[in-house]
Each structure stands twice: as C-alpha cells, then as structure tokens.
Amino acid sequence: MKNAHTFHIPVMGIGFTIDSPLKVAQFGIDSVISLVDDILLEKLRKMYSEKFEIPYTEITDKIEDFRAKRITSYLNMMSDLVDKKFEALKHSTHEKSEELKAYINMLPSGSLIKEEFNKVTEKGINFSEIKNWALQNLSKGSIDVNIMTKVDKDNYIKNEQLPVEYNDAHAALRGFANSKLKSSVILSAGMNPRLYAYMSQFDDFYPSETGTFTKKIILKVSDYRSALIQGKFLAKKGLWVSEYRIESGLNCGGHAFATDGNLLGPVLAEFKEKREELRSSIEVMVNQELENQGRVVSENPLEIKISAQGGVGTHEEHEFLLNQYELDSIGWGTPFLLVPEATTVDEKTLNKLVLAKEEDLYLSDISPLGVPFNNLKDNTKDMEKERNINKGRPGSSCPKKFVALNKEFKDTGICTASREYQHLKLKELDNQNLQLEAYQREFNKITEKSCTCVGLGTSALLAYNLDTKKEGEGVSICPGPNMAYYSKIMSLKNMTDHIYGRDNMISRTDRPNLFIKELTIYIDYLKNKLEEVKTEMSKKEEKYLLTFTNNLNEGISYYKSMFNELKHTFQEIKEDVLNELDSGEKTLSLISLEIQNLAIQNLKPKVVLS
C-alpha cells in the first residue's frame, strides 16, 4: 500500500522521537525511534505499561543480553499500542469519529484517499460503509528505528570483553531484528563492516518470492558515492537497501557529516540521473549472492526509494524537491520539535526553541564522537558543563557510557566528555608548559565536549515527570538552522497544513531558500577550515580546501542554471537567489585566492634566525 503522506519525521536526538510512532502512526505518518539508549527505552516501557495496564517485568542489566531484550520489548509494546490505536481509528463509531476525520484532513490536498473518502461520505455518514472502506484503504505510519553505526561500544563483564555481537550497535540491531515490527532500520553515520555482516544472520532482511521484506534497510547518506559503496557492500552479503535517504551534510539537525562541499541539489540530481543504474547494478549482485546462499530470489524487480531531508521549510520547497528530483518522501525534522503531538520535548526546552534565532543555533564541537554537532546556545546541559568547569571539575560523571569509545588511556574505552578522560588529558596538558594563550586554546578543546548521550534523552524523562536522579536535569538539544524561522508551538494539524500549503507557520519574511541557506553554511564552514590552517597548511589540507571550493563552485553553477530555467517555482525569490549565488561565487573566488597564496607561502624556504 502506498504511503499516506509525502513526508516522514526523521530521528531526532535520542529521546525527542522515542515515542513519536505512538503519537502519529495512526494518522499514516512514518517516524523513527533512536535505539541508542536502552535504559531510557526501559523507563518508558515501564511508564506506558502502567498507563495502559500492560503486565510489566523489568529487564535489569543482570539479565543476559539485556540491551537487545529491552529494545525488543519496547518495540513490541510500541507495535501493539500503535495497532490498537489504528484499529480503533478504522472502526470509528459516531462517538469516536474525530480521529478518522483528523486522519483524512491531514492528508495531502490531492490525495486519492481523501477524494475517495469524500465520495463515500457525500450522501451522508454510514459508519458500516466507512468501516469497510477504511479497512481496505487506510495505512498506518511505519515504526522505523535508527542505529548510528559507529556508536558500537565494546562491552565487558568483569573486565572480560564480550563477543562482538554484544557491542552496542550489534545488540540494537538484534533487538530490532527479533521484534514483531514490519518496518525499516535506518543506518546512519557511515559504514560499519562488522555490523553490516552481522545483519546477514537475520532472515527478516531477505526478500520473499514477490520482492517484499519483513524488515527493510534504509541507508542515510550525503552523496551518491557513499550510497553506491555501502549498497554494494551489503549486496555482497545478499542484503538489499530499500531506500537511500539523502541528508544535507550541514543544513540538518543533530550530527553534521560535512561532505567535500557537495551541495544537496547536485547530489539529488545525480541520484535522479543514476537511480535505475544504482538499482539494477546492485540487484544483480544481490540476486547472485542469494543464489550462492541457496535463498529465495525475488520474481519481481526489487524496488528502491529515494528520499531527502535537511533544511526543508516551506510547501513550495517540499513540492519542488518531490517533483524536480522524483523523490518518494521528504524528511521534516526540526520544525516538529515544536509539535508536542508528534515529539517529546520538556517545557523549558520547548520555550527556548520558540525564542531561538539564527545567532542561538550553531555548529559546535561538543559531541564526544568528534563530529560537528548542531547545538542550541545556553541549553541546560551545556550550562551544567560550564558549572563543572568553573568548579574545577570539568567533565561528566558519564552515567551511561554509550559513547565511551576513546581508547587513549583504557582498552575498555572512555568517553571524551567524561570527567575521567578530561582529567587525564588536562594532566597531559599541564606537563606541556605552554604559553597561556595556547594553553587556554587546548584547555577549551578538551572541556568543550558535552555529555550528549545523556543530555539528548533527558528531555523525555522531564516531559513525563520520570526520575532523573541518575541522569541529572541537563538537556542537550540539536535543532537544525531552520528552527530560527519557527516561533510558536504548533499542533499536528498546523504542521501538516504547513507542509501541504494549506497554512503558513512561518511569520518571518526573511527566511532564505533551503539551497541558499545550505550554501551559506558550507561557505562559513570552509572559512573556518581555512582559518585553522593559516599558520601552516599541509599539501593534504591544501588539496582538501581546493576540492571543497571547486565542488561549491560547481554547485553554484548548477543552481544558476536550474533557477534560470524555472518557469513556475520560486518566482518570487528567483532574483534574490541568483544575487546570492553571485555573491557566493565572489566569496569563493577570494577564498580560492587565499588558499593559493598560503600554498605559495609554504613553498618559500623558512629563514631560521640564529
């Protein structure tokens, strides 16, 4: 059955979409649960079990394979609760017809389902007839899950390392694979060969004779090359990628995986051009491997979907991406943080988001993963971090250890945001006898890291008045730059009406087009990278910066050509966009010149004064 909606809600943080399916799936909306924090999942399972009077037995960390079992139990509970809600919606009576009306009203304006519903009801409401129609035509949203492939910490019992399948990402995958869900796992943050190989142990990821899957694989990527490499790697295991989800490298929420200056528009154009080539070339490899393994080979061609997300903010942008690049779905993330009917954000953080402007949203170095991270200034987790620094005890107590991945000091791994790690690093720094300015710079680099694996989940505990004794009350939040243009708390209907052009939730008139916003962020990122190497630039750094600059220039050329050819879309902003592209081109020309001058300076022999 075709998706009811042309948008999906991506994973946000650890806790912000942790129960989104329970809020939106009955309306046909797909959403994604993070599987990072099994402790948080277990707390919410207990809460919902009490709320819906479901028998509950705690899965403690003394039970073997507790992480996977907690994840399976939570996902099974979500599946049962969503099914119950959806069945109630389809079997609507006069007293309970509001949810059915809400489902229909939220659909895209040109939706065939909406048109058919109007035909069924044009002569009056016959609940028996509506029930039969609903059973055949309505579909629930998918309960998808996200695994950050690199967050795959080794685990130990009494200093003895457990087998690799007990690593965090492996256990999360097993938790999903063993659940009753018929949905997708979204793999993000790059390739993990061991994890990908492990997936091949679960039959649910393989196709049926008709080419359907019990559990699907979605790859989150930022360029075509990455999709091809990962898709082929999985194909050699007999595994098929059902969807390639393209995310802007920098104009997104959460962790930002910057490409080498590859902008969203040209990346989507390449996927559109090579879509069938990607599908058919990988299908040949998958089918060959399925034959080698003696597994079923689909009688029908295997399907792929292409979707995109990152910085989309208006109905016009949404429709343009769908039509121009023939996409199957568009991810709307950041604005949904202001929709309590869809996401879970505590009241204090919600109010901070409402007031956030451009200057409050920035790309930070706070993530212990060492990847740039979109951050909100003065969030309560960062304020807690500053208090620890001022007390002379920088770093977190590290209560959950999900990103204890650094093995500089311990084979078992330490998190770079932990008090233990920062204490050891600062001891090293003290022994270097640096000048004050250099010392402070290095001190800031060490203490900048924040305990995000706790902070990104705490909001859900606060929102539901659950115990935060272990976690503390500090909240990390990771909206994309788009948050600056939304300034009120919205209902689910407000948001869907905004997406489908029936209403407008942006009161400001100065919001830049998503392509221009991304270009601006990339140019700022390039400037910062150039600043970092100004004192001494290696050949490798020179090549990286020039490649980055050239790719941005090619992106600008692509956009100039595209916007000049547009006859109906973006007409009101076309002139401004073309002016911004000219301005970007001039800035890049100056940056390119600066890189070349630095390269020349580096070639000059250094004069050593005796």
Side-chain angles (χ1 to χ4, degrees), residues 9-12 17-18 21 30-34 144-146 186 245:
I9 302 175
V11 70
M12 284 186 277
T17 55
I18 198 161
D30 297 350
S31 58
V32 187
I33 296 170
S34 166
D144 296 329
V145 303
N146 180 256
I186 294 118
R245 189 162 283 183

Side-chain angles (χ1 to χ4, degrees), residues 14 58 67 75 133 213 268 277 297 317 328 418 533 552:
I14 289 171
E58 185 184 1
R67 177 171 167 78
L75 296 179
W133 175 86
F213 294 82
L268 292 176
E277 182 188 325
V297 175
E317 289 175 354
D328 296 285
S418 70
V533 300
L552 288 181

Side-chain angles (χ1 to χ4, degrees), residues 83-129:
D83 283 351
K84 198 172 177 182
K85 275 193 164 189
F86 187 55
E87 287 305 309
L89 181 145
K90 287 190 294 183
H91 292 79
S92 283
T93 58
H94 180 70
E95 293 80 25
K96 294 185 176 180
S97 60
E98 288 309 307
E99 287 217 329
L100 178 60
K101 287 179 190 170
Y103 185 112
I104 300 300
N105 288 336
M106 279 191 266
L107 293 171
S109 301
S111 165
L112 287 174
I113 298 173
K114 187 177 271 193
E115 287 174 18
E116 286 173 14
F117 179 79
N118 290 336
K119 282 179 191 170
V120 170
T121 56
E122 64 188 354
K123 292 175 184 174
I125 302 291
N126 179 329
F127 280 103
S128 176
E129 195 178 336

Side-chain angles (χ1 to χ4, degrees), residues 431-586:
N431 293 332
Q432 289 177 31
N433 297 317
L434 297 176
Q435 295 290 328
L436 184 60
E437 190 179 333
Y439 177 90
Q440 193 60 49
R441 192 165 52 245
E442 293 305 311
F443 178 91
N444 292 344
K445 273 187 197 172
I446 294 165
T447 58
E448 173 75 0
K449 303 303 177 194
S450 182
C451 183
T452 52
C453 85
V454 170
L456 289 169
T458 304
S459 190
L461 297 175
L462 294 172
Y464 294 129
N465 295 314
L466 298 177
D467 176 37
T468 58
K469 191 176 177 183
K470 184 174 184 177
E471 295 85 356
E473 294 196 358
V475 172
S476 304
I477 184 100
C478 49
N482 224 359
M483 182 55 76
Y485 310 104
Y486 294 87
S487 53
K488 56 186 169 189
I489 293 168
M490 299 171 280
S491 69
L492 187 56
K493 186 168 189 310
N494 287 154
M495 197 65 232
T496 51
D497 283 351
H498 176 76
I499 292 168
Y500 293 134
R502 298 184 290 254
D503 202 347
N504 177 27
M505 293 291 109
I506 299 176
S507 52
R508 288 174 59 173
T509 56
D510 61 343
R511 179 187 174 275
N513 171 269
L514 87 153
F515 296 129
I516 294 301
K517 182 69 177 179
E518 185 193 46
L519 174 64
T520 306
I521 298 167
Y522 262 102
I523 289 175
D524 287 342
Y525 184 84
L526 177 61
K527 285 176 182 174
N528 289 335
K529 287 290 171 193
L530 181 58
E531 197 63 38
E532 286 172 17
V533 300
K534 270 191 175 175
T535 49
E536 194 170 347
M537 181 173 69
S538 68
K539 270 285 176 194
K540 186 180 176 183
E541 288 162 341
E542 179 193 344
K543 185 183 175 187
Y544 168 76
L545 292 170
L546 286 173
T547 300
F548 202 105
T549 308
N550 291 336
N551 285 338
L552 288 181
N553 271 317
E554 284 176 17
I556 288 174
S557 297
Y558 166 85
Y559 285 138
K560 278 188 168 183
S561 173
M562 183 185 83
F563 274 93
N564 275 315
E565 288 172 12
L566 291 178
K567 296 288 184 281
H568 305 291
T569 315
F570 300 135
Q571 293 308 297
E572 290 177 16
I573 61 166
K574 191 170 179 176
E575 190 179 337
D576 288 342
V577 165
L578 291 169
N579 287 338
E580 291 282 358
L581 292 171
D582 281 337
S583 173
E585 213 165 34
K586 285 170 189 166

